[in-house]
């Protein structure tokens, strides 16, 4: 993993409300594992399950960022078109 626990905490905090994790209401165990992982001091302390959830979380964050960039580009394109 190329991120630190502190970076994960900041990354989660920077996500929009409602997109702080990819599991929503469906997977309480994954949400719990993510919360436990974020409370650890180092990545070396993570259990196998927590590591898997963190990897899934990072992929989710990348997709959210890509969606935000795409939406911003669409807004820019619409605002630049002449009416």
């Amino acid at each position: 993993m190329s991120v630190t626990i502190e970076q994960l905490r900041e990354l989660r905090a920077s996500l929009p409300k409602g997109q702080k994790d990819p599991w929503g209401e469906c997977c309480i165990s994954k949400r719990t594992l993510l919360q436990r992982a974020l409370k650890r001091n180092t990545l070396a302390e993570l259990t196998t399950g927590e590591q898997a959830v963190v990897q899934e979380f990072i992929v989710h964050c990348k997709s959210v960022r890509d969606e935000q960039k795409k939406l911003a580009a669409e807004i820019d394109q619409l605002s630049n078109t002449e009416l």
Side-chain angles (χ1 to χ4, degrees):
M1 289 185 216
S2 62
V3 296
T4 65
I5 292 292
E6 190 59 37
Q7 289 172 325
L8 283 174
R9 291 178 189 140
E10 292 172 5
L11 183 61
R12 186 173 186 278
S14 71
L15 291 174
K17 186 176 181 178
Q19 295 184 341
K20 302 237 184 242
D21 65 58
W23 308 287
E25 298 295 322
C26 72
C27 302
I28 295 172
S29 60
K30 287 185 178 183
R31 296 180 90 188
T32 303
L33 284 172
L34 180 63
Q35 291 301 319
R36 283 179 27 197
L38 292 173
K39 291 180 183 177
R40 305 278 185 188
N41 295 321
T42 65
L43 293 174
E45 296 176 2
L46 296 179
T47 65
T48 305
E50 291 168 350
Q51 289 176 357
V53 167
V54 166
Q55 289 294 334
E56 192 173 334
F57 175 70
I58 291 170
V59 170
H60 166 71
C61 291
K62 288 179 183 178
S63 69
V64 168
R65 298 286 180 193
D66 290 343
E67 288 175 21
Q68 288 176 336
K69 288 179 184 178
K70 194 181 296 185
L71 180 60
E74 289 176 12
I75 290 171
D76 286 342
Q77 184 181 14
L78 289 174
S79 66
N80 290 333
T81 58
E82 294 181 30
L83 296 176

